[in-house]
Amino acid sequence: MDTGALILNLLIYLGSSVVLVSVFARLGLGSVLGYLFAGMLIGPWGLGFIDNTHDVLELSELGIMLLLFIIGLELDPRRLLAMRRPIAFFGGFQVGLSAILIGGVVMLLGLSWQIAVIIGLAMALSSTAMSLQIINERNLLKRPIGQVGFPVLLFQDLLVVPVLALIPFLSGTQLESQEVNNPTMMGLTVISASIGIFLVSRYALHHIFRFVASTRLPEIFTALSLLLILGLSTIMYKLGLSLALGAFLAGVILADSEYRHALKSDIQPFKGLLLGLFFISVGMNMDFGLLFDNPLIIVTAAFGVLIIKSAVLYVLAIITKLDVSERPMFSFLFSQGGEFAFVLFAFAASSGALEPDLSSKLILVVTLTMMMTPILVILNDKLIEPRYQKFAEQNLEMDEIDHESRVILVGFGRVGQIIGRMLHVNGIEPVVIENDPDHIERVRRFGYKTYYGDLFKHDVLKAVNAEQADMIILTMNNAAVTNQAVELIQNGYPDLRIIARARDRDHAIDLFSMNVKEVTRDTFYSSVEMGKQILNHLGFPKDHIDTMANAYVERDIEKLMRQVDNRDEEKELISIALHSREQLEKTLELDDIVEKQLEPQEPKSKLEKPD
């Protein structure tokens, strides 16, 4: 391909990605679906801008490698060893049962048991790239869905090599490679190589990175990062593992390196672009001609795979005690066929285990299941999950409150817990109301007495005898909910003192305008304390720091109250801000302080908290 054609293709890839992914993201449909449709649009069956789809697919596999490398960096070998049981159980259950059910359907259709084994095992594998992309976008990796799903994906990736080794035997042929004929030797070789790479990375890599970092050329450090990943992946590939799994193991080996964060930040941009290219290539490889020739068979097969795998995954979600509302999402997220199925079906066709026509149809089925996954996830978000939550709310009764208190505390998150502890230490046990059942279960395990109740759906205030209380404290982090609660309390209990948490300055102005007399802003006083610590570290006298901080707080509150009175007049707000700044500077005139106290001093050796 000449340079002009290459640049033109790059323009097409980038242009289609920017436009369609941005549109799909703004519509709430996710980036993956945008990339897939971009591929369909520019591919042979769309506008035909790109013809050579095979090379693009191979290049885009680098994105999967980089993704798994970054995930490997988050797992040190000890943690991976600790995951061996979840990997074996979760992954073994999902792959085993899915393969049996899908293979059984294939045999019922009249195909041989050998073909049923190949199709069952290949279709049981999920798309690591697609699943992890959605998990990362939604920050699910550390949630129960990710903690159960990630071992499943790891098990599937580990299974690719044994399945590749099995295919020649099922086809009646044998490969002459050592990896196939002697899997035990292959395993020992992989372990030995991993230990060798670990020792080199531990004792030599530090010096290599230090030498390259000393050049102060960021692009060379990035080049070393890519060289390291590709080199280690190639070594693992030569030993019989997939490139992606090799990249993951390379990441695990380097997980305790002091350069782990630098590696991650350098690789992140390449990972995102190349993963996007992978999804584009999947869309480009959609063979609509084959789909139009066999629409009923292909579509039925795709939905059959999705239904069987979703059912298996739902059972696994029940076994692992995932929350009821998360089970559909878990089932949809891993129900598609995966990128390794492309490799397995192509290899089965080349080895004679599958007819080429059947292999092409199966690859199209896998592609359709991958394209359906983002749609299923969106349907779950819009239709299924809200119904689960609504059902749960309707069937969740308010707790019976068995004690009264002078203080009612609504919300028991970070702020509420600190206030609750301070009250407890001083002999006051507030009535704590929280509307998140999962959070209530967590805090109850730590000995906190918390009641479930929704201020807007249950007669909570009557149940806690609000008319007898001295005050109610609102610590919710949602400004709109806090404002609604204030209106509810003022309408029903006008004499009850309200102490409210404000999300920011604008929210504080809203609350003061609603005649809430005691409002505390998030981050305001913590920022003042941080500023005091910084000045303390820089050597300023404590008396000056306290004077300055108290003056700043006093002036800021004065400015805030003036802004409350002029909240709808933008020019007046600007004038108040400028005037307040001038007044603060006048208040902090340091004539005698500068002469007597602010003589040059050495900064303190470490940060010390002011007395």
Side-chain angles (χ1 to χ4, degrees), residues 407-411 419 423 430 471-476 497-501:
V407 180
I408 303 167
L409 179 58
V410 182
I419 295 172
L423 291 170
M471 67 183 66
I472 184 168
I473 305 168
L474 306 178
T475 69
M476 302 86 82
R497 173 179 291 180
I498 301 173
I499 300 176
R501 169 191 180 188

Side-chain angles (χ1 to χ4, degrees), residues 248-290:
F248 172 75
L249 291 178
V252 172
I253 292 168
L254 297 171
D256 62 350
S257 168
E258 62 187 284
Y259 291 96
R260 174 168 66 95
H261 296 293
L263 283 167
K264 183 177 179 180
S265 63
D266 279 350
I267 296 305
Q268 198 77 29
F270 296 98
K271 182 266 293 183
L273 282 173
L274 288 170
L275 262 184
L277 187 60
F278 170 77
F279 295 125
I280 288 176
S281 67
V282 171
M284 288 168 56
N285 280 280
M286 276 282 293
D287 190 342
F288 285 95
L290 191 60

Side-chain angles (χ1 to χ4, degrees), residues 69 72-78 197-210 221 224-225 228 232 249-265:
F69 177 80
L73 283 176
E74 303 293 338
L75 295 172
D76 58 45
R78 292 181 297 275
I197 293 172
F198 175 77
L199 293 174
V200 170
S201 68
R202 191 172 187 83
Y203 297 106
L205 199 60
H206 169 79
H207 300 289
I208 297 173
F209 271 108
R210 177 181 293 178
F221 191 91
L224 175 61
S225 304
L228 182 68
L232 293 178
L249 291 178
V252 172
I253 292 168
L254 297 171
D256 62 350
S257 168
E258 62 187 284
Y259 291 96
R260 174 168 66 95
H261 296 293
L263 283 167
K264 183 177 179 180
S265 63

Side-chain angles (χ1 to χ4, degrees), residues 351-545:
S351 64
L354 292 178
E355 293 292 332
D357 181 63
L358 177 58
S359 175
S360 299
K361 291 178 181 177
L362 291 170
I363 290 173
L364 181 57
V365 169
V366 171
T367 305
L368 278 178
T369 62
M370 293 175 72
M371 297 197 68
M372 285 295 298
T373 299
I375 298 173
L376 291 173
V377 169
I378 293 168
L379 289 176
N380 177 73
D381 291 342
K382 303 295 185 184
L383 299 177
I384 300 176
E385 188 171 344
R387 290 179 179 273
Y388 270 102
Q389 292 177 346
K390 185 176 181 180
F391 178 79
E393 291 174 358
Q394 289 174 345
N395 289 274
L396 193 61
E397 298 295 333
M398 187 181 76
D399 287 338
E400 183 177 349
I401 300 174
D402 55 11
H403 87 276
E404 298 180 11
S405 175
R406 298 163 51 196
V407 180
I408 303 167
L409 179 58
V410 182
F412 207 58
R414 296 174 301 153
V415 176
Q417 289 174 35
I418 293 172
I419 295 172
R421 292 190 193 104
M422 294 179 68
L423 291 170
H424 173 77
V425 168
N426 287 278
I428 298 174
E429 297 295 339
V431 178
V432 181
I433 305 298
E434 173 63 53
N435 67 352
D436 184 343
D438 294 334
H439 185 59
I440 290 173
E441 289 300 319
R442 285 195 296 271
V443 298
R444 280 178 178 174
R445 288 198 290 267
F446 290 92
Y448 294 105
K449 195 168 187 179
T450 309
Y451 298 98
Y452 171 79
D454 190 327
L455 220 57
F456 307 106
K457 295 183 180 178
H458 304 116
D459 199 357
V460 174
L461 296 177
K462 183 178 180 180
V464 300
N465 291 319
E467 68 275 4
Q468 303 296 327
D470 290 341
M471 67 183 66
I472 184 168
I473 305 168
L474 306 178
T475 69
M476 302 86 82
N477 64 357
N478 187 302
V481 172
T482 302
N483 293 349
Q484 292 174 21
V486 168
E487 291 180 356
L488 179 69
I489 296 164
Q490 290 177 336
N491 290 334
Y493 304 87
D495 297 328
L496 183 60
R497 173 179 291 180
I498 301 173
I499 300 176
R501 169 191 180 188
R503 285 285 295 168
D504 50 32
R505 191 178 194 87
D506 290 337
H507 186 209
I509 292 173
D510 289 340
L511 290 171
F512 280 123
S513 300
M514 298 171 72
N515 294 319
V516 178
K517 303 300 182 184
E518 294 161 281
V519 177
T520 301
R521 284 173 280 162
D522 280 4
T523 73
F524 177 69
Y525 289 102
S526 60
S527 300
V528 172
E529 283 300 314
M530 190 174 181
K532 290 169 66 175
Q533 290 182 24
I534 293 169
L535 292 173
N536 183 43
H537 178 65
L538 293 173
F540 286 85
K542 181 178 183 300
D543 289 343
H544 163 67
I545 295 173

